[in-house]
Each structure stands twice: as C-alpha cells, then as structure tokens.
Amino acid sequence: MTSIKNALAGLWSLVVGMGITGKYFTAPLVTVFYPRQEAENIETYRGHVELVGKEDEAGVPLCIACGQCARQCPSQCITVSAKVAPADPAESKDGKPAKPKRLKTPGVFQLDYNLCSLCGQCVQVCPVDSLRYSNNVYFAVFTRQETNIDLLERLERQAKEGK
Amino acid sequence: MTMSPQLSSDPSDFYSQSFSKGARENTLILNMGPQHPSTHGVLRVIVELDGEYIVRAEPVLGYIHRMHEFMGQKKTYTQYLPNMGRVDYLHATAWNWAYVGAVEQLAGIEVPERAEYIRVLTCEINRICSHLVWWGAYLLDLGAFTPILYAFEDREFLLDILQRVTGSRLTYCYFRFGGVYADVDDKFIDDTRTFIQRFRKRLKMYEALVTKNFILRKRCEDIGVLSVQTARKYGCTGPVIRGSGVPYDVRRAVPYSVYPELDFEIPTFSEGDAMARYMVRLKEMEQSLRIMEQVMDRMPDGDIQGKTPKTLKPPKGETYFAVEGARGKIGVHLVSDGSATPYRVKLRAPGYSNLSCFAELSKGTLIADAVSILGSLDLVIPEIDR
Ligand code: SF4
Ligand code: SF4
C-alpha cells in the first residue's frame, strides 16, 4: 500500500515539475541574440586599463612617466618610458655635448593585455590618476601580438573621435 | 649510486602501476577524466570496476597545478592579491578575504566598519553564485538539463550586481588590505533587495521542480553516506561535514569580521548522504539572503579603506586566518621574514580535504552513483590543485 502511495507521490512530483517547465516555456525570453542585440549590463564592466588625457589637451595623457604602475603590476604587463627630448646644443658646456633630456610625459606606453589580470593596482597606484579602466568589452583579436595595446595611440584616437 | 628500480623499469606513473598490478580477474581499470564531463575540470579518477560496481577508486590530482603558493613567495604582498581570485573562481571573494585577513592580522591593519559590512555582503552574494553553479552542474551530472538554465539566469542578476563594484564577473580582485576597492552605491543596494525578493520565490520553485522530484531523490538518498568519523578523519569542512550533522562553520566557530553581530543559522542535516549535502546548500542560500538583508539594514556610513603603509612590510612572524567559503574552511597560513615578499604562503583548500573521502565513499557503489557522490562534494579542481 505504501509503495503504491510512494509511486503516486513520485509521479505527482514529475507532473508538478512539468507544470513549472510548461509555465516557463511561455515566459518572456531572458537571453539576448548577440551580435544582433547587445547586453545592457556592460557600462559597469571594467576592461583593460587606458590612459586619461589632460583636460585641455585630450590627446596627451596626464601621465608623468614615473613608472610606478609598471613596478606595481603583478604581471609586468606595462611598459612605460619617458619621452626623450633631443639634446639641445645650446646647453653644451665645456665642449661636452648636452645630455638628452627625459621629459615628464611618456614616449612609450604599452599594455600587454594578454598578461593583465585586471586587478586594478596600476589604477590605484598612479599618483596623477592617469589610468582608468576602459569599457572595452568586445575585444577580440586574431593574433597574440594584437593584445599588446599601444595606449598612447589609443588615447590619441579617442581624442580625435571626440570621446 | 643505484637507480631506483621503479624509475628504471616502468615509465607509467605510480597510480596506473599499482592499479594495473592490482587488477584481478573480472575487473576492469577505467580512467574517469582528466577530460570527463562529470569531473568538472581536470580531475582524473582511476576506478577498478567489477561490472558496474566500483571496487576501488583513486583520485589523481595535479593536472591544473599553477604554483599559487610558490608565486606567493615571489611577489610582493599586494602583487599576490589577484592570484586569490583565481584559486577558486567560484567563490573568489572568500579567498580574497582569507588572504587580506591574514595580512591584516600580521601587519596590524585596521579595517573600517563599513568595509567589513561590504565584505560580508559581497562574500554572501558570491556564496549564492557559487551554490547556484553547483546546483545547476550537479543536476546536469544527474541528467537534468533545465535546472542549470534557471540557476544561471538567477546567477546573472548577482553577477551584474557584483560587477558594479568589482568590475568583473568571475575572478574578483576586490578586497584590499584594510578595505575594499570600491564603495557600494544605492543602485547596488536596490538591486540586491530586488534580487532577494525574487530569489525567495525562485527557491520555492527550485524546491517544487527539483528537490521534491522523485527521480532526484532516488539518485541522492542513501547515496554516499558519510559518517561523522570519516568526515572528521579526512578533515572535511563546509556543507560536506554539515551534511553529516556537525554544525561546524568558521563564521560561528572562529568568528571573524561582523559575523558575530548577525543573526543566522547553520543548517545541518544528519543523514550524511548526497541528499543531505544538497539540502544543506539550498538552506545555506536562504541563510545568505538573511545575512544580506541584515547587512544592508545595518551598514554604517564611513570610509571603505583603512590606513595602510605605502610599502607593506609586515613584521617577522606568522599567522593563520580562516574564513568560511562555499566549500568549507579556507585558510591562509602566512609567514613573514620582515621583507616585502612573504616568506611562505600556505593555502588550505577545503575541496582538497573534501575530495579525499571520495575513495572511501565510492567503494562498492555503482559508477553512476559515484558521479552523484563526486558532484555532491562540490569540487572545484583549480582550488584543489592550487
Ligand atoms: S590591472 Fe593589474 S595586471 Fe593589469 S596592468 Fe594594471 S596592475 Fe597590471
Ligand atoms: S600612468 Fe601613472 S603610475 Fe604609470 S607611469 Fe604614468 S604617472 Fe606613473
């Protein structure tokens, strides 16, 4: 007797389950058809880091080329070096040629996104807040070299596009 | 010097050797994994079968060993932070917490109260995410496909919420020494409240759809009964030991942060079978919702980042800090020699101990039941290998 009861209860549980599935069968869709549609939750996404431009000169980064971000980065994926101005012959003393001057602006700023772990330590350590997360969600490349991003060029491009 | 005979004679590894030697008439040695759908990652289990029954089973580890502990000795304290999100990608914030907690203890860094509340909040949200993945994947192992879609639909809400503050969706690197990376805003709180309401209804639906399901009960009840002694012997923690009736939870046993002020229960079930472990996790999600509500009600205003020295050099000494992760006790043993890099970081992964009892549990069961047992232990292989 109890086994029959158990079997009936078991069968009923299946009916209940099918009922729930049936209900959701008619429920509105929760997925999006990428790439024809885009998900709407991407504005809070934090992608690879990018440089922040100066207020009056959007194409030039705030960065002072101190190199702290490169030192702090756990994965050594930032390469930054200061722009070097050619030696000014007028400044030469005692016949010795003047040394080239290191400027307080980066000449090279490369990010190897392949290695980046998006930890945000470079963003936090920067003394002049010259780094921020980008919103670059749809970042896909064909070769590994393409993940090596030239952030200076990216900033210039963004400034031109008026972003 | 003579070469060891084992090295010179047979190139195969220890496990296959001892298993092939031990194979008897009518038994079959079978490899489950490392690329097996039910092992969720690269876990290899060697089983000796008699028909469909398991005579013995042996998990083999190391296929996704990433030297996390060694990396800890090579990087500075801060540089090691992102590693923590990658040890156990399903409950990343708990690992974040275990490590920053250990460093804070050693270096004597104070954490502002608001940051503590935010930590509890994100940790509990992440715990539900982790349990949802387990729930979906476990039922997938047992042959039910639909639940994982429901679970991932709910999880999506939580990931959106966490993305607001952490910026990422899986491998969070959100905790900092003495605080957290970003403050929660009103939208975060509103979304969480909406989710709690929604999820309470969904949990009822889960129960009607799956928990009461006759087929699931047949696959879980009285399968893989883990006695308290065995659980203790192998050092099982988390839902695995609570499914055997031991109310051990680090949040209560060794209270940390603001957990002592919060009111929540530790669900335990005494049956010790796969169903008990299943029920513990489902009940835990309800408790996590309760904790989240209380935290949001009580969260004070204030700083989210305490004072930390610019270059962190904790004094000589060692410390141990444990938190309750979705899979059990996560511990970090940290030894400092006074320099900027840790002298030694030992990570205690709960999955490792939980997996060890598998050999004993699966003895004499059907191979299909072994899959159910494996799933009920909730294993994350990267965490086990570290
Ligand atoms: S986010 Fe982290 S890993 Fe990436 S570049 Fe910055 S410091 Fe390096
Ligand atoms: S981005 Fe910031 S931390 Fe990095 S070199 Fe420039 S100023 Fe220094």
Side-chain angles (χ1 to χ4, degrees), chain A residues 13 25 27 36 62 96 100 123 126 142 151:
Chain A
S13 73
F25 196 63
R36 273 168 285 146
L62 287 169
K96 270 192 227 154
V123 179
C126 179
F142 287 103
L151 291 183

Side-chain angles (χ1 to χ4, degrees), chain B residues 195-208:
Chain B
F195 175 80
I196 292 174
Q197 275 178 5
R198 173 200 152 87
F199 196 56
R200 290 229 160 96
K201 280 188 219 125
R202 294 282 284 194
L203 276 175
K204 291 213 180 79
M205 185 274 270
Y206 287 1
E207 195 181 328

Side-chain angles (χ1 to χ4, degrees), chain B residues 229-257:
Chain B
Q229 285 79 15
T230 320
R232 284 198 193 282
K233 196 165 81 190
Y234 286 105
C236 300
T237 46
V240 176
I241 200 165
R242 292 199 282 275
S244 299
V246 182
Y248 181 79
D249 187 315
V250 185
R251 288 174 294 179
R252 282 285 185 245
V254 197
Y256 54 95
S257 185

Side-chain angles (χ1 to χ4, degrees), chain A residues 14-42:
Chain A
L14 298 186
V15 175
V16 172
M18 284 313 282
I20 292 171
T21 314
K23 210 172 86 201
Y24 276 87
F25 196 63
T26 56
L29 208 61
V30 291
T31 49
V32 273
F33 285 99
Y34 180 78
R36 273 168 285 146
Q37 288 174 325
E38 282 189 0
E40 36 190 66
N41 55 9
I42 53 177

Side-chain angles (χ1 to χ4, degrees), chain A residues 6-7 9-11 13-14 16-18 20-21 23-25 30 41-47 68 70-76 116-121 123-124 133, chain B residues 75-76 78-83 86 146 150 153 156 160 163-169 171 173-174 176 180-182 187 202 204-205 208-209 212-215 305 310:
Chain A
N6 282 347
L11 281 176
S13 73
L14 298 186
V16 172
M18 284 313 282
I20 292 171
T21 314
K23 210 172 86 201
Y24 276 87
F25 196 63
V30 291
N41 55 9
I42 53 177
E43 86 275 16
T44 54
Y45 175 82
R46 298 209 290 251
Q68 278 193 49
R71 273 197 303 276
Q72 180 68 27
C73 174
S75 333
Q76 281 109 46
C116 175
S117 47
L118 293 175
C119 62
Q121 288 178 19
V123 179
Q124 278 192 318
Y133 284 111
Chain B
K75 293 174 182 244
T76 66
T78 0
Q79 283 182 340
Y80 190 51
L81 263 176
N83 280 54
R86 282 144 179 95
T146 342
Y150 291 139
E153 188 194 335
E156 200 66 15
D160 284 353
Q163 185 182 312
R164 276 197 85 73
V165 287
T166 62
S168 38
R169 297 174 76 77
T171 48
C173 176
Y174 177 52
R176 292 289 187 269
V180 289
Y181 179 79
K187 180 142 187 345
R202 294 282 284 194
K204 291 213 180 79
M205 185 274 270
L209 177 70
K212 289 199 176 138
N213 188 294
F214 168 66
I215 303 172
Q305 178 69 51
K310 204 147 184 247

Side-chain angles (χ1 to χ4, degrees), chain B residues 77-94:
Chain B
Y77 284 91
T78 0
Q79 283 182 340
Y80 190 51
L81 263 176
N83 280 54
M84 287 296 108
R86 282 144 179 95
V87 178
D88 174 357
Y89 49 80
L90 288 185
H91 201 181
T93 51

